[in-house]
Amino acid sequence: MPDTSDAPAACAPDPETAVAAVAEPAPRRRPKPGERRLQILRTLAQMLERPGAERITTAALAARLEVSEAALYRHFASKAQMFEGLIEFVESSIFGLVNQICEREDDPRVQAARSVVVLLQFAERNPGMTRVMVGDALVLEDPRLTQRMNQFFDRIESQLRQLMRRAADARGSVEPTVEAAAQASALTSFCIGRLQRFARTDFRRSPVEQIDLALQMMIH
């Protein structure tokens, strides 16, 4: 073992220097490409979750993110484009889940029922998105946003109509097209109504409340 008796004693750190090192904030990490864009959308959705939330301005959004409004416009050309980003998330999420259901299930009635459930469950897990889906958050915004959300529900109704037509054919319905159209319309209206109630009650009434019983009454 080497002799360390003559080794110089380790210097104790200067207390003031140690405190300064702890107190000094870490340098702010620069967001990766695309990360800031997602952060903006996530924050916008969170702000929409506040009960009774008023129209969100870019100034309020920038303040929440602790950036300038100019920084927002480096990622989005307008506030309408930010809302379009939220709508795209709704579309890709729900139709992605619906496609998975249709791949796994053979019975069109089961496909329809589970499609309705995943739509309502998505809304329950994303209250801010619900306000976009029912149009509350789009009031006074660019009209094309409301039009696009309407097209989303038209697409949902079309999907349900195809499934209900298959179910009607399977049971030998005399008027499968008429029945399928009526059922799809009722199911879509049911979904919209549940979403509106969820938003109107400040997210207290679950959109999937008694969902199994409700679907049994509408899908046969």
Side-chain angles (χ1 to χ4, degrees):
M1 174 180 286
D3 182 8
T4 59
S5 59
D6 294 329
C11 295
D14 179 17
E16 293 185 2
T17 303
V19 171
V22 173
E24 185 178 352
R28 198 167 186 175
R29 185 176 67 84
R30 189 178 184 85
K32 296 178 181 178
E35 192 174 50
R36 176 66 79 184
R37 182 183 175 90
L38 291 175
Q39 185 182 27
I40 292 170
L41 294 178
R42 189 180 300 115
T43 302
L44 175 57
Q46 290 171 349
M47 292 176 73
L48 289 170
E49 291 180 10
R50 294 179 301 179
E54 298 180 355
R55 184 172 183 243
I56 295 174
T57 64
T58 53
L61 179 58
R64 180 72 174 267
L65 286 161
E66 298 182 343
V67 300
S68 66
E69 287 186 72
L72 298 181
Y73 291 118
R74 282 198 291 269
H75 301 277
F76 295 94
S78 63
K79 187 168 64 163
Q81 197 176 82
M82 298 177 199
F83 277 107
E84 283 182 328
L86 295 183
I87 294 174
E88 286 171 4
F89 178 73
V90 171
E91 293 171 338
S92 62
S93 298
I94 292 178
F95 286 115
L97 291 169
V98 168
N99 289 339
Q100 290 178 25
I101 290 168
C102 292
E103 289 173 0
R104 290 197 305 263
E105 302 293 340
D106 295 325
D107 189 332
R109 295 171 303 173
V110 174
Q111 292 175 345
R114 293 191 177 175
S115 295
V116 169
V117 170
V118 297
L119 189 158
L120 298 179
Q121 286 178 335
F122 172 88
E124 186 170 42
R125 292 168 184 161
N126 300 276
M129 299 295 188
T130 301
R131 294 194 60 222
V132 175
M133 294 167 74
V134 300
D136 289 357
L138 306 180
V139 175
L140 303 179
E141 302 295 345
D142 193 310
R144 77 172 185 273
L145 298 171
T146 299
Q147 182 180 7
R148 182 165 176 177
M149 210 63 252
N150 290 338
Q151 290 172 345
F152 166 83
F153 284 107
D154 287 344
R155 187 176 167 190
I156 288 289
E157 183 170 350
S158 176
Q159 177 90 8
L160 292 171
R161 186 164 54 247
Q162 293 176 29
L163 296 174
M164 291 296 91
R165 172 60 192 264
R166 285 173 49 202
D169 286 337
R171 67 173 181 272
S173 171
V174 177
E175 295 183 301
T177 302
V178 174
E179 286 189 19
Q183 281 185 295
S185 177
L187 286 167
T188 305
S189 297
F190 170 77
C191 289
I192 295 172
R194 283 296 180 96
L195 296 179
Q196 289 175 333
R197 186 185 70 177
F198 184 48
R200 190 179 65 247
T201 59
D202 290 336
F203 314 124
R204 290 191 297 271
R205 291 290 299 275
S206 170
V208 293
E209 182 179 275
Q210 296 182 319
I211 188 63
D212 291 337
L213 179 59
L215 291 175
Q216 287 175 15
M217 297 170 67
M218 290 186 288
I219 298 177
H220 54 270

